mmCIF file of all heavy atoms in Angstrom:
data_model
loop_
_atom_site.group_PDB
_atom_site.id
_atom_site.type_symbol
_atom_site.label_atom_id
_atom_site.label_comp_id
_atom_site.label_asym_id
_atom_site.label_seq_id
_atom_site.Cartn_x
_atom_site.Cartn_y
_atom_site.Cartn_z
ATOM 1 N N ALA A 56 -14.367 13.199 15.361
ATOM 2 C CA ALA A 56 -14.124 12.105 14.597
ATOM 3 C C ALA A 56 -15.362 11.196 14.121
ATOM 4 O O ALA A 56 -15.363 10.555 13.097
ATOM 5 C CB ALA A 56 -13.008 11.136 15.173
ATOM 6 N N TRP A 57 -16.282 11.245 14.965
ATOM 7 C CA TRP A 57 -17.534 10.495 14.672
ATOM 8 C C TRP A 57 -18.149 11.098 13.340
ATOM 9 O O TRP A 57 -18.726 10.272 12.483
ATOM 10 C CB TRP A 57 -18.520 10.514 15.782
ATOM 11 C CG TRP A 57 -18.067 9.500 16.824
ATOM 12 C CD1 TRP A 57 -17.561 9.804 18.082
ATOM 13 C CD2 TRP A 57 -18.099 8.004 16.731
ATOM 14 N NE1 TRP A 57 -17.377 8.584 18.727
ATOM 15 C CE2 TRP A 57 -17.552 7.522 17.921
ATOM 16 C CE3 TRP A 57 -18.457 7.187 15.658
ATOM 17 C CZ2 TRP A 57 -17.476 6.091 18.106
ATOM 18 C CZ3 TRP A 57 -18.296 5.730 15.945
ATOM 19 C CH2 TRP A 57 -17.827 5.235 17.146
ATOM 20 N N GLY A 58 -18.230 12.395 13.232
ATOM 21 C CA GLY A 58 -18.705 12.925 11.956
ATOM 22 C C GLY A 58 -17.948 12.504 10.700
ATOM 23 O O GLY A 58 -18.495 12.184 9.719
ATOM 24 N N VAL A 59 -16.645 12.497 10.863
ATOM 25 C CA VAL A 59 -15.720 11.987 9.793
ATOM 26 C C VAL A 59 -15.903 10.521 9.524
ATOM 27 O O VAL A 59 -16.048 10.192 8.294
ATOM 28 C CB VAL A 59 -14.216 12.229 10.160
ATOM 29 C CG1 VAL A 59 -13.347 11.638 9.073
ATOM 30 C CG2 VAL A 59 -13.925 13.729 10.357
ATOM 31 N N PHE A 60 -16.139 9.778 10.443
ATOM 32 C CA PHE A 60 -16.456 8.342 10.375
ATOM 33 C C PHE A 60 -17.757 8.103 9.527
ATOM 34 O O PHE A 60 -17.708 7.309 8.621
ATOM 35 C CB PHE A 60 -16.611 7.773 11.743
ATOM 36 C CG PHE A 60 -17.046 6.257 11.741
ATOM 37 C CD1 PHE A 60 -16.012 5.286 11.435
ATOM 38 C CD2 PHE A 60 -18.277 5.867 11.917
ATOM 39 C CE1 PHE A 60 -16.335 3.971 11.471
ATOM 40 C CE2 PHE A 60 -18.619 4.486 11.871
ATOM 41 C CZ PHE A 60 -17.637 3.482 11.693
ATOM 42 N N ALA A 61 -18.822 8.852 9.863
ATOM 43 C CA ALA A 61 -19.936 8.636 9.019
ATOM 44 C C ALA A 61 -19.780 9.090 7.577
ATOM 45 O O ALA A 61 -20.305 8.436 6.641
ATOM 46 C CB ALA A 61 -21.079 9.709 9.647
ATOM 47 N N GLU A 62 -19.083 10.106 7.308
ATOM 48 C CA GLU A 62 -18.770 10.546 5.895
ATOM 49 C C GLU A 62 -17.929 9.467 5.152
ATOM 50 O O GLU A 62 -18.237 9.118 4.014
ATOM 51 C CB GLU A 62 -18.031 11.905 5.793
ATOM 52 C CG GLU A 62 -18.910 13.117 6.314
ATOM 53 C CD GLU A 62 -19.964 13.326 5.374
ATOM 54 O OE1 GLU A 62 -19.934 12.950 4.072
ATOM 55 O OE2 GLU A 62 -21.023 13.873 5.897
ATOM 56 N N VAL A 63 -16.957 8.849 5.818
ATOM 57 C CA VAL A 63 -16.166 7.831 5.371
ATOM 58 C C VAL A 63 -16.992 6.553 4.919
ATOM 59 O O VAL A 63 -16.775 6.094 3.882
ATOM 60 C CB VAL A 63 -14.954 7.380 6.345
ATOM 61 C CG1 VAL A 63 -14.296 6.152 5.851
ATOM 62 C CG2 VAL A 63 -13.938 8.556 6.337
ATOM 63 N N GLN A 64 -17.952 6.269 5.793
ATOM 64 C CA GLN A 64 -18.790 5.146 5.488
ATOM 65 C C GLN A 64 -19.612 5.381 4.298
ATOM 66 O O GLN A 64 -19.845 4.425 3.497
ATOM 67 C CB GLN A 64 -19.741 4.784 6.678
ATOM 68 C CG GLN A 64 -18.958 4.501 7.975
ATOM 69 C CD GLN A 64 -17.936 3.354 7.772
ATOM 70 O OE1 GLN A 64 -18.222 2.322 7.289
ATOM 71 N NE2 GLN A 64 -16.706 3.747 8.267
ATOM 72 N N GLU A 65 -20.001 6.571 4.029
ATOM 73 C CA GLU A 65 -20.863 6.901 2.925
ATOM 74 C C GLU A 65 -19.897 6.826 1.652
ATOM 75 O O GLU A 65 -20.390 6.294 0.602
ATOM 76 C CB GLU A 65 -21.485 8.278 2.924
ATOM 77 C CG GLU A 65 -22.238 8.741 1.873
ATOM 78 C CD GLU A 65 -23.493 7.944 1.646
ATOM 79 O OE1 GLU A 65 -24.075 7.330 2.494
ATOM 80 O OE2 GLU A 65 -24.034 7.956 0.500
ATOM 81 N N LEU A 66 -18.680 7.280 1.654
ATOM 82 C CA LEU A 66 -17.812 7.196 0.561
ATOM 83 C C LEU A 66 -17.496 5.708 0.209
ATOM 84 O O LEU A 66 -17.417 5.368 -1.027
ATOM 85 C CB LEU A 66 -16.500 7.942 0.817
ATOM 86 C CG LEU A 66 -16.801 9.516 0.759
ATOM 87 C CD1 LEU A 66 -15.530 10.257 1.342
ATOM 88 C CD2 LEU A 66 -17.016 9.925 -0.704
ATOM 89 N N VAL A 67 -17.404 4.823 1.181
ATOM 90 C CA VAL A 67 -17.158 3.442 0.916
ATOM 91 C C VAL A 67 -18.228 2.820 0.077
ATOM 92 O O VAL A 67 -18.111 2.120 -0.723
ATOM 93 C CB VAL A 67 -16.849 2.647 2.281
ATOM 94 C CG1 VAL A 67 -16.961 1.211 1.980
ATOM 95 C CG2 VAL A 67 -15.579 3.039 2.800
ATOM 96 N N ARG A 68 -19.499 3.269 0.546
ATOM 97 C CA ARG A 68 -20.649 2.821 -0.137
ATOM 98 C C ARG A 68 -20.606 3.132 -1.724
ATOM 99 O O ARG A 68 -21.181 2.472 -2.483
ATOM 100 C CB ARG A 68 -21.961 3.384 0.512
ATOM 101 C CG ARG A 68 -23.191 2.700 0.041
ATOM 102 C CD ARG A 68 -24.482 3.316 0.827
ATOM 103 N NE ARG A 68 -24.688 4.754 0.287
ATOM 104 C CZ ARG A 68 -25.128 5.139 -0.858
ATOM 105 N NH1 ARG A 68 -25.508 4.310 -1.826
ATOM 106 N NH2 ARG A 68 -25.402 6.420 -1.100
ATOM 107 N N LEU A 69 -20.059 4.297 -2.007
ATOM 108 C CA LEU A 69 -19.857 4.850 -3.371
ATOM 109 C C LEU A 69 -18.654 4.273 -4.060
ATOM 110 O O LEU A 69 -18.502 4.524 -5.217
ATOM 111 C CB LEU A 69 -19.892 6.261 -3.300
ATOM 112 C CG LEU A 69 -21.034 7.034 -2.634
ATOM 113 C CD1 LEU A 69 -20.915 8.496 -2.577
ATOM 114 C CD2 LEU A 69 -22.360 6.787 -3.463
ATOM 115 N N GLY A 70 -17.829 3.502 -3.344
ATOM 116 C CA GLY A 70 -16.630 2.900 -4.106
ATOM 117 C C GLY A 70 -15.450 3.473 -3.844
ATOM 118 O O GLY A 70 -14.414 3.331 -4.532
ATOM 119 N N ILE A 71 -15.248 4.440 -2.804
ATOM 120 C CA ILE A 71 -14.022 5.086 -2.537
ATOM 121 C C ILE A 71 -13.792 4.852 -0.977
ATOM 122 O O ILE A 71 -14.417 5.306 -0.165
ATOM 123 C CB ILE A 71 -14.218 6.737 -2.712
ATOM 124 C CG1 ILE A 71 -14.325 6.855 -4.215
ATOM 125 C CG2 ILE A 71 -12.912 7.378 -2.293
ATOM 126 C CD1 ILE A 71 -14.697 8.392 -4.541
ATOM 127 N N GLU A 72 -12.601 4.330 -0.707
ATOM 128 C CA GLU A 72 -12.110 4.103 0.670
ATOM 129 C C GLU A 72 -11.225 5.292 0.954
ATOM 130 O O GLU A 72 -10.457 5.768 0.216
ATOM 131 C CB GLU A 72 -11.275 2.799 0.666
ATOM 132 C CG GLU A 72 -12.125 1.535 0.463
ATOM 133 C CD GLU A 72 -11.167 0.357 0.543
ATOM 134 O OE1 GLU A 72 -10.093 0.463 1.218
ATOM 135 O OE2 GLU A 72 -11.516 -0.741 -0.173
ATOM 136 N N VAL A 73 -11.479 5.825 2.331
ATOM 137 C CA VAL A 73 -10.791 6.985 2.628
ATOM 138 C C VAL A 73 -10.056 6.739 3.936
ATOM 139 O O VAL A 73 -10.604 6.164 4.891
ATOM 140 C CB VAL A 73 -11.696 8.173 2.890
ATOM 141 C CG1 VAL A 73 -10.926 9.440 3.319
ATOM 142 C CG2 VAL A 73 -12.608 8.374 1.589
ATOM 143 N N ALA A 74 -8.779 7.185 4.058
ATOM 144 C CA ALA A 74 -8.155 7.284 5.346
ATOM 145 C C ALA A 74 -7.644 8.601 5.602
ATOM 146 O O ALA A 74 -7.010 9.187 4.678
ATOM 147 C CB ALA A 74 -6.887 6.272 5.409
ATOM 148 N N VAL A 75 -8.002 9.142 6.631
ATOM 149 C CA VAL A 75 -7.596 10.532 6.973
ATOM 150 C C VAL A 75 -6.495 10.473 8.217
ATOM 151 O O VAL A 75 -6.936 9.832 9.184
ATOM 152 C CB VAL A 75 -8.677 11.391 7.216
ATOM 153 C CG1 VAL A 75 -8.242 12.933 7.629
ATOM 154 C CG2 VAL A 75 -9.630 11.518 6.083
ATOM 155 N N HIS A 76 -5.357 11.126 8.004
ATOM 156 C CA HIS A 76 -4.443 11.115 9.145
ATOM 157 C C HIS A 76 -4.199 12.602 9.416
ATOM 158 O O HIS A 76 -3.940 13.426 8.547
ATOM 159 C CB HIS A 76 -3.034 10.606 8.659
ATOM 160 C CG HIS A 76 -3.168 9.241 8.085
ATOM 161 N ND1 HIS A 76 -3.319 8.013 8.831
ATOM 162 C CD2 HIS A 76 -3.363 8.810 6.835
ATOM 163 C CE1 HIS A 76 -3.456 7.007 8.040
ATOM 164 N NE2 HIS A 76 -3.483 7.467 6.785
ATOM 165 N N VAL A 77 -4.494 12.979 10.685
ATOM 166 C CA VAL A 77 -4.296 14.327 11.262
ATOM 167 C C VAL A 77 -3.163 14.329 12.183
ATOM 168 O O VAL A 77 -3.169 13.568 13.279
ATOM 169 C CB VAL A 77 -5.570 14.923 11.832
ATOM 170 C CG1 VAL A 77 -5.389 16.348 12.362
ATOM 171 C CG2 VAL A 77 -6.677 14.723 10.809
ATOM 172 N N ARG A 78 -2.132 15.161 11.867
ATOM 173 C CA ARG A 78 -0.937 15.246 12.860
ATOM 174 C C ARG A 78 -0.725 16.766 13.110
ATOM 175 O O ARG A 78 -1.253 17.462 12.197
ATOM 176 C CB ARG A 78 0.339 14.645 12.175
ATOM 177 C CG ARG A 78 0.176 13.199 11.996
ATOM 178 C CD ARG A 78 1.375 12.691 11.318
ATOM 179 N NE ARG A 78 1.293 11.474 10.609
ATOM 180 C CZ ARG A 78 0.769 11.233 9.412
ATOM 181 N NH1 ARG A 78 0.383 12.220 8.656
ATOM 182 N NH2 ARG A 78 0.688 9.940 8.858
ATOM 183 N N PRO A 79 0.013 17.140 13.946
ATOM 184 C CA PRO A 79 0.289 18.661 14.185
ATOM 185 C C PRO A 79 0.792 19.206 12.852
ATOM 186 O O PRO A 79 1.801 18.667 12.374
ATOM 187 C CB PRO A 79 1.323 18.632 15.245
ATOM 188 C CG PRO A 79 0.958 17.398 16.066
ATOM 189 C CD PRO A 79 0.493 16.344 15.072
#
Side-chain angles (χ1 to χ4, degrees):
W57 283 111
V59 174
F60 178 80
E62 294 294 330
V63 167
Q64 299 311 308
E65 181 63 23
L66 287 168
V67 166
R68 190 180 69 74
L69 299 172
I71 300 174
E72 295 177 25
V73 180
V75 179
H76 309 278
V77 179
R78 296 177 200 83

